[in-house]
Amino acid sequence: MSVSDLRQSYERGVLLENQAAISPIDQFALWFDEAIAAQVPEPNAMTLATVDASGQPSARTVLIKGFDARGFTFFTNYDSRKGHDLLANPRAALLFFWQPLERQVRIEGVVERVSPEESEAYFKSRPVGSRIGAWASNQSQPITRDALEAREREFKARYGDDPPRPPHWGGYRLVPSYFEFWQGRPSRLHDRLRYRADGKQGWAMDRLSP
């Protein structure tokens, strides 16, 4: 089959204005809970898109670790490519794609670091192997597999079962100013509801053409 012949008819749901929450955070929470209930694989996986100082975009899949009215939180190595991108340009975009529900959510905003206390609390909740991995990996830097495993052994020997949080590792929060909720519909006439911050601690919602 030709790649151009691959297509699917989206018929699982609708998204109408009178069904949508006033707050995009509430709408996201509803869809997120429905993705969990539907046993969507890794519903907390999202694409994070950043832009470096030269304007070069890059994207990767990361895991959301929390969301509330303040924004969407994830954790990583500050010295990674995404960390350097966010230092140069703190604007970023998130994309959740829940294919079994024929839904996606786009979110845009400014990214800030979370407090050291929040980073510490989450780091301590991680499995020991993941905490050692945060020390062993110079994320985004060239390395051989043998060297990586040697670093893992080194930090296991140094810290045992209680590694501290590395100074180069912690959390970011995307503070949203834009949301788009997309529900697949037949004939590619999809539902797209957009929320934009209106500058009055509220949100303005409208519909976009598919």
Side-chain angles (χ1 to χ4, degrees):
M1 178 180 291
S2 169
V3 173
S4 64
D5 291 330
L6 293 173
R7 57 177 52 84
Q8 178 177 332
S9 179
Y10 299 113
E11 300 178 355
R12 289 186 58 91
V14 302
L15 178 61
L16 303 178
E17 288 84 343
N18 62 6
Q19 299 173 341
I22 295 174
S23 162
I25 296 292
D26 291 342
Q27 182 64 36
F28 180 87
L30 173 64
W31 274 18
F32 189 76
D33 287 346
E34 290 178 353
I36 293 174
Q39 298 184 334
V40 171
E42 295 199 276
N44 56 331
M46 61 185 183
T47 301
L48 166 67
T50 57
V51 178
D52 69 13
S54 71
Q56 174 64 45
S58 62
R60 75 289 288 161
T61 301
V62 300
L63 299 179
I64 186 177
K65 290 301 178 180
F67 67 91
D68 55 26
R70 297 173 298 169
F72 294 77
T73 304
F74 60 95
F75 294 84
T76 190
N77 186 316
Y78 293 142
D79 292 331
S80 64
R81 180 175 178 180
K82 59 180 134 358
H84 286 289
D85 285 359
L86 291 170
L87 184 62
N89 184 346
R91 296 187 178 276
L94 308 177
L95 173 67
F96 292 85
F97 180 50
W98 297 313
Q99 189 277 333
L101 298 178
E102 300 172 354
R103 290 173 173 173
Q104 68 176 354
V105 183
R106 296 170 56 192
I107 307 167
E108 299 172 7
V110 173
V111 178
E112 61 188 21
R113 289 191 184 186
V114 305
S115 69
E117 293 77 14
E118 192 169 348
S119 291
E120 288 283 351
Y122 174 68
F123 188 79
K124 289 179 179 179
S125 75
R126 304 180 85 206
V128 173
S130 296
R131 284 182 274 164
I132 292 293
W135 283 98
S137 173
N138 291 322
Q139 195 173 104
S140 302
Q141 299 303 310
I143 196 170
T144 66
R145 186 72 203 183
D146 287 346
L148 180 61
E149 292 175 356
R151 286 178 59 83
E152 181 187 32
R153 291 191 296 271
E154 173 191 345
F155 286 107
K156 278 183 179 178
R158 182 182 304 182
Y159 293 124
D161 292 334
D162 191 25
R165 177 174 69 92
H168 56 262
W169 190 98
Y172 290 98
R173 179 177 291 108
L174 184 140
V175 180
S177 57
Y178 178 98
F179 286 79
E180 183 192 314
F181 294 85
W182 180 98
Q183 176 70 60
R185 295 289 296 273
S187 302
R188 297 299 188 261
L189 298 179
H190 311 302
D191 289 325
R192 296 176 62 190
L193 296 188
R194 173 178 63 178
Y195 293 78
R196 290 177 291 177
D198 65 7
K200 303 175 183 176
Q201 303 301 311
W203 296 88
M205 180 179 67
D206 59 0
R207 175 175 290 270
L208 299 176
S209 297

